[in-house]
Amino acid sequence: MASEKEIKRERFLGVFPKIVDELNASLLAYGMPKEACDWYAHSLNYNTPGGKLNRGLSVVDTYAILSNKTVDQLGQDEYEKVAILGWCIELLQAYFLVADDMMDKSITRRGQPCWYKVPEVGEIAINDAFMLEAAIYKLLKSHFRSEKYYIDVTELFHEVTFQTELGQLMDLITAPEDKVDLNKFSLKKHSFIVTFKTAYYSFYFACCLGHVRRWHHR
């Protein structure tokens, strides 16, 4: 028998194919050929849903808690709306990981080759990372443009992205892969990297999005 955690995860995963279809439809609207649409769908499916999904699921959980409901008490339309916000964080995570793996020259991610290591991908992964990030704003505009909190949520994504990139910059210049200098390390730098590179978008952001969505639907 599936656990409550597994049931939550499967329901959340059930929203993602609709997101892929929607994003691919936007490519078709721009006149992109099937080859490009298939590539984009492969990138989305390869890089986005394979992790633990804690960030995206936390958005849903936060919204449900603040609504005094359990997740399974959320109606399908209500659930899908907040799940899309959760998937936007997972897309942000995917964008960061694809880029980070190239910068760190990593080999594997989540038990499979890093995206840039997949045959025929290579440096195309740079553009694919940009497209993973751009997908966030396509989804926000499509589903939340008429909401009072649209600008707040969009600005939150921009701000948290910038904060995370500050953490990544500090990480890269403190411990470059090809020249480790222990004199550059300090507890202050470590704290900055942990806070900016991970904590903001992994913990604060997920709770904040669930709160914003609930606050405007009281």
Side-chain angles (χ1 to χ4, degrees):
M1 184 175 179
S3 66
E4 181 182 355
K5 184 177 181 179
E6 290 170 334
I7 292 171
K8 285 183 179 181
R9 180 183 170 87
E10 288 306 308
R11 188 179 186 189
F12 187 66
L13 283 167
V15 176
F16 192 66
K18 299 178 183 179
I19 288 174
V20 175
D21 289 345
E22 178 181 336
L23 291 170
N24 255 337
S26 69
L27 265 65
L28 290 171
Y30 286 121
M32 296 290 281
K34 182 177 184 300
E35 176 187 11
C37 294
D38 289 346
W39 182 283
Y40 191 35
H42 184 35
S43 171
L44 288 164
N45 284 309
Y46 193 95
N47 294 302
T48 313
K52 296 185 286 291
L53 306 179
N54 288 341
R55 295 166 183 84
L57 288 167
S58 292
V59 178
V60 179
D61 285 340
T62 299
Y63 176 82
I65 289 168
L66 293 174
S67 302
N68 293 316
K69 297 179 180 179
T70 61
V71 171
D72 60 359
Q73 288 175 329
L74 299 176
Q76 190 58 24
D77 290 343
E78 183 182 24
Y79 178 85
E80 287 191 6
K81 195 86 168 180
V82 72
I84 288 169
L85 284 177
W87 277 114
C88 283
I89 291 191
E90 293 297 334
L91 284 163
L92 185 65
Q93 161 84 336
Y95 157 60
F96 288 147
L97 295 185
V98 170
D100 184 66
D101 286 341
M102 296 189 75
M103 287 183 269
D104 290 346
K105 299 180 177 60
S106 299
I107 305 301
T108 60
R109 169 72 67 180
R110 296 170 174 169
Q112 60 185 2
C114 297
W115 179 240
Y116 81 100
K117 285 291 187 180
V118 172
E120 300 184 3
V121 176
E123 291 187 355
I124 299 173
I126 298 171
N127 192 65
D128 291 333
F130 295 155
M131 291 187 69
L132 289 167
E133 183 193 24
I136 296 165
Y137 301 101
K138 293 292 290 183
L139 292 170
L140 291 179
K141 183 177 180 181
S142 173
H143 293 274
F144 302 98
R145 190 178 185 185
S146 62
E147 303 285 357
K148 292 181 290 185
Y149 55 85
Y150 173 62
I151 296 299
D152 292 336
V153 167
T154 301
E155 289 184 347
L156 269 173
F157 269 97
H158 285 304
E159 183 65 19
V160 171
T161 299
F162 185 64
Q163 290 170 327
T164 306
E165 288 163 352
L166 291 178
Q168 176 73 345
L169 174 61
M170 182 63 75
D171 189 12
L172 291 169
I173 64 177
T174 301
E177 289 292 314
D178 57 345
K179 187 179 180 182
V180 177
D181 181 359
L182 295 179
N183 291 318
K184 290 185 176 182
F185 284 83
S186 69
L187 286 175
K188 184 176 181 180
K189 285 184 178 179
H190 177 268
S191 179
F192 185 95
I193 292 168
V194 170
T195 300
F196 279 79
K197 186 177 176 178
T198 303
Y200 277 125
Y201 90 97
S202 296
F203 305 107
Y204 160 79
F205 194 26
C207 294
C208 195
L209 282 180
H211 180 269
V212 168
R213 168 71 182 167
R214 177 55 196 152
W215 179 262
H216 288 281
H217 282 76
R218 290 184 302 172

